[in-house]
């Protein structure tokens, strides 16, 4: 085990997979020498050369469109969006093409395309550079959606994504790149559809994604001192979603709080809450609570940004609310 | 027209009763005479029968609730009738265990309330499922969740209280069941222990030739089968009658020992031990010495039946209601025993089994004679051994000279 940064874990995953598979190809804005905005592809050019990594014009439609084309012709295309917000330029390529080609060809064509994108707030980047768009892609059949919260998960999941024959949206978080964690020195992968219980508890189930996992864990530490034992579940992949782990936890605790940074309306929290209702209503002792960003654009001001997105305090309040503790 | 079911007033001193069991649930149809609920005073347990035909619309109290007397307990009427006006408007704390006097602070938030007639019961799905699986009625519970929502901890609290009341435990391979005492059991325990602790009681045993009683009994049986007599006077009735006659001659045995004085009664108020499903009860037949055998026999039956039905007046169950007590174990084959005095009474007669014993029939002829065992326990503080023996001999005498 070595303690490395989240960004390093991504870089290691890409390099390792490129060494294992000659068909892995990286493409994106400034990925060559700059290594992308957060340095996730730094050193790839030196090791693998221009045959394996290419800078692109500032055109997301080109990046993803070329990615789909490359994937269809047998390359494992690892493409990067500088900010997830920009993927909206390439929705046709993503949703109409990447997500559907395999279906339209009766399974004859596969699209091993990995779209890496960093998303989320936390750096005062403003409304058009701070969004969390995972729900848009979860909604569309044919796409897998991954949201790692730790270096360990990021590396293991990205390696799985590269080996998958279907389009994967791999959402990193800009705040998480500098977080550190233990990562095995040997090759490992993490299967999709397997949630991770980041903290075991008996009183309340908190389902959190990406950066919010860290906030939920912080909240759990405070709650523990107040005698509340929270279980923190990180689904890690939203599509496929590990219903079993969530349901088992809710059946144990009878209470659920869902925390995500994306907006509340039609967010993944609504989906998870509905699944809990469907599969575990008779185990619920309280209405499910969601802790999400306000239904408003993310403000540019850092202070307002903090007020807009879920905070540790709001998670604590929500937990107490489902525990009926004032 | 909806009518209220009211917690009856049991005697002059009873202020509250505990509902021990509901036999009907909200929405059940009930008929006059149906067992509605059972309840306890601190002295005795009773059953309450439905006073009307209809639907049990609303129960205002759950099992275990302590209900002031003359309070509306439930409403019987037709479906759709409003019950709110019957609501006793009272919030009563449920004791964590009605029989457990230890105060329980955390249970205080569990309230029994009248849920508004048409209001939906607020209960979490989990609490509802657990209640359903446990067969627990939650309709009149006021939960500890927001706006009175019943949540799991409320149900679990009730269940754990119930589990405390009777649980089979297995520790190191030893299985046992623990059950808190019912009020009746507590009362018996206290009275019996206190009697042995606080008096100087001892028992004399004697036997009486019971041939005349058996003849009388046979005669009564014959009369009944011949249709000449409807009243079944039992051996026990006759013995009671004989004891009353003996008590008239030994008034010192017909009294209460009150530490600094002895109260001697001019009439015999006879206590009679009755086994009931709830435990031993000793109702008194007041003014038994004024009654002829037929009347005495009738009254003894009435109090025994009332005890078993639970409709006996608590006043008659007080130990001060009787002046002397008879406990008959003869039917069970007990040959002698040491009955315990119901203080402040000064004596109790244990009536034992009839045994055939060899006896001198005269002219050096020996035969077998049926003898009934008599075990007189008396309080030596009140009566000395000599008079006690004479009193016991008088009982024997009354039995042996009995005529019907």
């Amino acid at each position: 085990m070595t303690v490395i940064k989240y960004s390093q874990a991504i870089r290691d995953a890409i390099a390792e997979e490129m060494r294992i598979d000659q068909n892995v190809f990286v493409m994106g804005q400034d990925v060559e020498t700059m290594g992308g905005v957060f340095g996730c592809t730094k050193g790839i050019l030196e090791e693998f050369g221009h045959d394996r990594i290419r800078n692109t014009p500032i055109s997301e439609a080109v990046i993803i469109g070329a990615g789909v084309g490359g994937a269809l012709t047998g390359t494992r295309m690892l493409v990067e969006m500088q900010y997830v917000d920009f993927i909206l330029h390439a929705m046709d390529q993503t949703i109409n093409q990447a997500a559907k080609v395999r279906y339209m060809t009766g399974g004859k064509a596969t699209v091993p395309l990995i779209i890496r994108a960093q998303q989320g707030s936390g750096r005062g980047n403003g409304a058009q550079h701070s969004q969390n768009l995972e729900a848009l892609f979860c909604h569309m059949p044919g796409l897998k959606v991954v949201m790692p919260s730790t270096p360990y998960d990021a590396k293991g999941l990205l390696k799985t994504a590269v080996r998958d024959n279907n389009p994967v949206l791999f959402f990193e978080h800009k705040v998480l790149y500098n977080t550190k964690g233990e990562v095995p020195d040997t090759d490992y992968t993490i299967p999709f559809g397997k949630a991770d219980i980041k903290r075991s508890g008996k009183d309340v189930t908190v389902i959190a994604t990406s950066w919010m996992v860290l906030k939920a864990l912080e909240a759990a530490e405070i709650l523990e001192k107040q005698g509340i034992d929270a279980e923190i579940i990180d689904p890690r992949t939203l599509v496929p979603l590990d219903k079993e782990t969530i349901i088992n936890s809710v059946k144990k605790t009878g209470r659920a709080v869902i925390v995500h940074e994306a907006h509340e309306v039609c967010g993944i929290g609504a989906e998870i809450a509905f699944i809990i209702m469907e599969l575990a209503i008779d185990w619920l002792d309280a209405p499910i609570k969601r802790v999400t960003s306000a239904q408003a654009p993310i403000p540019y001001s850092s202070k307002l940004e903090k007020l807009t997105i879920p905070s540790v305090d709001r998670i604590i309040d929500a937990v107490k609310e489902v525990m009926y503790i004032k | 027209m909806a009518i209220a079911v009211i917690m009856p007033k049991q005697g002059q001193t009873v202020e509250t009763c505990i509902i021990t069991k509901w036999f009907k649930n909200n929405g059940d149809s009930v008929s006059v005479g149906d067992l509605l609920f059972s309840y306890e005073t601190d002295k005795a347990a009773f059953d309450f029968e439905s006073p009307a035909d209809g639907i049990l619309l609303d129960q205002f109290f759950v099992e275990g609730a302590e209900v002031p007397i003359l309070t509306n307990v439930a409403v019987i009427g037709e479906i759709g009738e409003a019950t709110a006006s019957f609501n006793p408007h009272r919030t009563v704390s449920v004791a964590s265990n009605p029989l457990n006097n230890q105060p329980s602070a955390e249970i205080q938030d569990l309230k029994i309330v009248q849920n508004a007639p048409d209001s939906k019961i607020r209960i979490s799905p989990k609490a509802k499922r657990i209640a359903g699986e446990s067969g627990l009625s939650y309709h009149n519970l006021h939960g500890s969740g927001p706006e009175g929502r019943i949540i799991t901890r409320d149900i679990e609290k009730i269940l754990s209280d119930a589990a405390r009341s009777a649980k089979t435990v297995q520790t190191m391979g030893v299985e046992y069941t623990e059950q808190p005492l019912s009020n009746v059991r507590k009362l018996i325990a206290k009275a019996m222990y206190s009697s042995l602790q606080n008096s100087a009681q001892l028992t004399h045993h004697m036997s009486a030739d019971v041939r005349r009683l058996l003849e009388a009994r046979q005669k009564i049986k014959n009369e009944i089968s011949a249709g000449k007599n409807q009243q079944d006077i039992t051996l026990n009735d006759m013995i009671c009658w004989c004891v009353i006659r003996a008590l008239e001659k030994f008034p010192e045995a017909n009294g209460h020992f009150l530490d600094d004085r002895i109260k001697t009664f001019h009439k015999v108020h006879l206590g009679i031990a009755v086994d009931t499903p709830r435990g031993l009860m000793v109702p008194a037949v007041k003014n038994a010495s004024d009654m002829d055998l037929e009347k005495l026999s009738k009254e003894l039956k009435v109090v025994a039946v009332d005890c078993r039905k639970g409709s006996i007046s608590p006043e008659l169950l007080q130990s001060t209601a009787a002046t002397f007590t008879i406990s008959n174990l003869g039917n069970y084959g007990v040959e002698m025993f040491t009955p315990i005095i119901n203080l402040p009474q000064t004596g109790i007669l244990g009536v034992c089994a009839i045994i055939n014993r060899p006896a001198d029939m005269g002219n050096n002829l020996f035969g077998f004679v049926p003898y009934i065992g008599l075990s007189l326990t008396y309080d030596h503080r009140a009566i000395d051994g000599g008079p006690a023996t004479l009193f016991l001999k008088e009982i024997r005498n009354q039995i042996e000279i009995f005529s019907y």
Side-chain angles (χ1 to χ4, degrees), chain A residues 152-228:
Chain A
Y152 173 86
D153 291 347
K155 185 175 177 187
L157 289 166
L158 184 53
K159 287 163 74 76
T160 300
V162 172
R163 298 176 195 189
D164 201 292
N165 282 335
N166 300 289
V168 176
L169 284 124
F170 195 90
F171 293 130
E172 296 151 22
H173 198 291
K174 53 174 76 70
V175 167
L176 292 178
Y177 284 123
N178 279 325
T179 60
K180 289 179 178 174
E182 279 194 338
V183 172
D185 299 318
T186 51
D187 183 40
Y188 74 100
T189 56
I190 295 170
F192 287 177
K194 189 78 200 82
D196 188 35
I197 299 172
K198 297 292 185 196
R199 184 187 192 281
S200 288
K202 63 178 187 347
D203 293 333
V204 57
T205 300
V206 179
I207 301 133
T209 57
S210 194
W211 185 25
M212 297 303 116
V213 173
L214 272 59
K215 294 201 176 195
L217 285 167
E218 210 180 319
E221 292 301 310
I222 296 166
L223 287 164
E224 187 180 14
K225 294 191 182 90
Q226 301 174 17
I228 298 168

Side-chain angles (χ1 to χ4, degrees), chain B residues 282-299:
Chain B
V282 187
V285 174
K286 287 289 198 181
N287 302 314
S289 50
D290 288 348
M291 299 171 186
D292 60 16
L293 182 58
E294 286 73 17
K295 173 79 172 156
L296 178 68
S297 167
K298 266 185 202 148
E299 290 304 314

Side-chain angles (χ1 to χ4, degrees), chain B residues 224-367:
Chain B
I224 291 170
S225 56
K228 276 190 267 176
N229 189 347
Q230 291 305 313
Q231 197 183 345
D232 188 14
I233 297 168
T234 64
L235 270 181
N236 189 59
D237 297 339
M238 296 177 207
I239 288 162
C240 288
W241 194 82
C242 294
V243 171
I244 293 164
R245 301 286 83 78
L247 282 166
E248 285 172 334
K249 294 190 176 178
F250 285 84
E252 59 265 49
N254 189 47
H256 292 168
F257 184 83
L258 301 166
D259 292 331
D260 57 346
R261 60 195 195 278
I262 291 175
K263 201 191 259 185
T264 306
F265 290 84
H266 299 168
K267 288 182 179 171
V268 177
H269 309 295
L270 191 67
I272 182 88
V274 177
D275 274 323
T276 77
R278 298 182 190 86
L280 172 72
M281 289 188 186
V282 187
V285 174
K286 287 289 198 181
N287 302 314
S289 50
D290 288 348
M291 299 171 186
D292 60 16
L293 182 58
E294 286 73 17
K295 173 79 172 156
L296 178 68
S297 167
K298 266 185 202 148
E299 290 304 314
L300 286 168
K301 267 188 198 70
V302 166
V303 292
V305 168
D306 283 355
C307 280
R308 294 192 176 111
K309 272 189 359 197
S311 58
I312 187 80
S313 158
E315 244 104 277
L316 293 179
L317 294 176
Q318 304 208 357
S319 62
T320 49
T323 55
F324 187 84
T325 296
I326 292 177
S327 174
N328 192 336
L329 295 181
N331 273 346
Y332 305 115
V334 171
E335 292 183 21
M336 59 167 68
F337 65 111
T338 59
I340 296 175
I341 292 173
N342 222 356
L343 294 183
Q345 295 168 38
T346 53
I348 179 168
L349 181 73
V351 180
C352 308
I354 294 169
I355 310 276
N356 284 313
R357 296 183 173 194
D360 186 352
M361 313 296 283
N363 298 325
N364 279 338
L365 275 175
F366 285 82

